[in-house]
Amino acid sequence: MMDIWDYVVLLAYFGILVGIGWRASRRQKDMAQYFVGGRRTGTLAIMTLWMASWVGGATILDTAEQAYELGIQSLLYPCAIALGCVCFALTFTGRIKDAGDAYGHITYPDFIEKHYGPRCRVVSTVTAFCANIGYTSSQLLATAIIMNQLTGWSLGLSFSVATAVTVLYTAAGGFLAMDETCRFQALLIFIGTALVGMPLTLLAVGDAGLAVNELPAGFTGLEGVDAWSLIGMCLSVVMTFYTSSDSYIRCFSAKSRHAATVGTLLAAVLIVSIGGSVCIMGLGARLLFPELGDGANAFITVIMKLFPSGVKGLMLVVLLAAIMSTACSCILTASANITRDIYQRFINPHAPDRRIVWLSIASSVLVGVISALVAWYIGDIIGLLFMAFTINSASLFLPTLGAYFWKRSTERAAFWSIALSLATVLTWYLGRECLPGVALFSIDPVWPGLALSAVLFFSLSLTGKADEGVSE
């Protein structure tokens, strides 16, 4: 268990987050400041914001678990994320930054409406909001479970503390708080995994006289990897880059096209380095603690059994930093869906800036509460995470690409593609829950959702009128 010095580190971390949120709250002036930081974010900050969005607690724990059970195959997911960064940087970041500056975009639905019209904004807002609730719920639940395991606090208390701290600094500080905390948290994650966790694990393996050849057969290669599963995973991750609301906020917030693109490319390098460090920790756990049976607790076991007092607290903070930074990003983007995409766009377009900022703060709190309730009810971290991925990628990917790369795209095609694909994905998840024995619902929901999206988008675009096409 943790001792007094570990708790000191943990409480200091919480105090720093709340302090950053309070300081940032005093600098909020308008909606652009609250959601995109006044469009002045530099290259390194963009890098850390991307890392904070994608390197969550589930990523760290799952990479260590997969390393413990399968070996270096665990690197495939971090590498898929890095591939998404590279693809998105080379094809979309500059275009999005230019559009954000030219038209004052703040959210992903701003981008969609510019190309397809107001009713597409509505369905994209609903889709993005549902996905962000799923992302946030998974991160809050992961935080609570980790705190429960490492501190001995009850799950209810851990859940309450995790939710309160995350929602408090996000709601108060908005993008400025997220920007500052992400830099701080990215540094913690890199130090904790690459400069502390990995070296201490390697030292323990060396002291125990263990060698790599003592790992089970196949742990150092990619034998047995199913090619179609790998393609499906990479496709789902890459598509999510193009459809996640926070991807657009990153680009809109950048101070220049160069910062948006280079920061995204640098994030790929940082993510792979962190993934490699966690993989080594998982492999070390397999050598040192083969009695675990499965790798679900591999990362936490390494922390609790190998690391000295104070360092345990640091590693807990690393996990919390990974989780809470992702949750902060998702809360902020879901809040923008309520404030920008619904209230300001359709209810009160001329609302004063101060009212919008206060509504944004209230919306962030509301999103946090809804996400906490969903997390507590469902209780499945990975299930929530992949549900959010599927909602985003299946429903929004093709209309998003079509906005720039297919001039035959029409408003009618985009609307029905997004709306019916979202309905299909949600129906598939409901069918899995209510009719678990039906073979049809055993198919991953991303495939029927994406297939219907493709059929509707291309067929309706090809049969649509020319003047329904994409706005320039």
Side-chain angles (χ1 to χ4, degrees), residues 123-137 334 337 371 374 384 387-389 391-392 422 426:
V123 291
S124 67
T125 296
V126 172
T127 304
F129 184 81
C130 290
N132 280 309
I133 292 295
Y135 291 137
T136 307
S137 299
N337 292 146
S371 300
V374 170
L384 285 166
M387 181 175 68
F389 277 149
I391 289 172
N392 249 338
L422 174 62
L426 294 179

Side-chain angles (χ1 to χ4, degrees), residues 394 398-399 406 417 421 447-460:
L398 291 176
W406 202 43
S417 172
S421 177
W447 298 116
L450 189 60
L452 181 61
S453 176
V455 169
L456 290 171
F457 184 67
F458 291 118
S459 63
L460 292 178

Side-chain angles (χ1 to χ4, degrees), residues 33-65:
Q33 194 85 35
Y34 189 85
F35 286 120
V36 293
R39 308 184 194 276
R40 295 192 298 271
T41 309
T43 301
L44 293 180
I46 293 293
M47 175 190 73
T48 61
L49 288 167
W50 276 111
M51 191 224 68
S53 294
W54 282 91
V55 181
T59 303
I60 290 178
L61 294 178
D62 190 57
T63 299
E65 177 181 353

Side-chain angles (χ1 to χ4, degrees), residues 50 53-54 80-96 107-112 115-116 124 127-128 131-132 135 233-252 261 264-265 388-405 418 450:
W50 276 111
S53 294
W54 282 91
I81 297 174
L83 175 63
C85 284
V86 172
C87 291
F88 191 71
L90 297 180
T91 59
F92 243 48
T93 52
R95 296 172 182 267
I96 295 169
T107 65
Y108 170 75
D110 281 341
F111 166 83
I112 287 294
H115 290 274
Y116 295 120
S124 67
T127 304
N132 280 309
Y135 291 137
M233 185 265 290
C234 291
L235 184 63
S236 179
V237 170
V238 171
M239 286 193 301
T240 302
F241 272 83
Y242 289 85
T243 56
S244 290
S245 296
D246 58 352
S247 296
Y248 291 77
I249 286 179
R250 301 283 170 275
C251 298
F252 296 152
T261 301
T264 308
L265 291 172
F389 277 149
T390 302
I391 289 172
N392 249 338
S393 57
S395 304
L396 298 173
F397 180 67
L398 291 176
T400 300
L401 285 191
Y404 275 128
F405 299 122
I418 296 171
L450 189 60

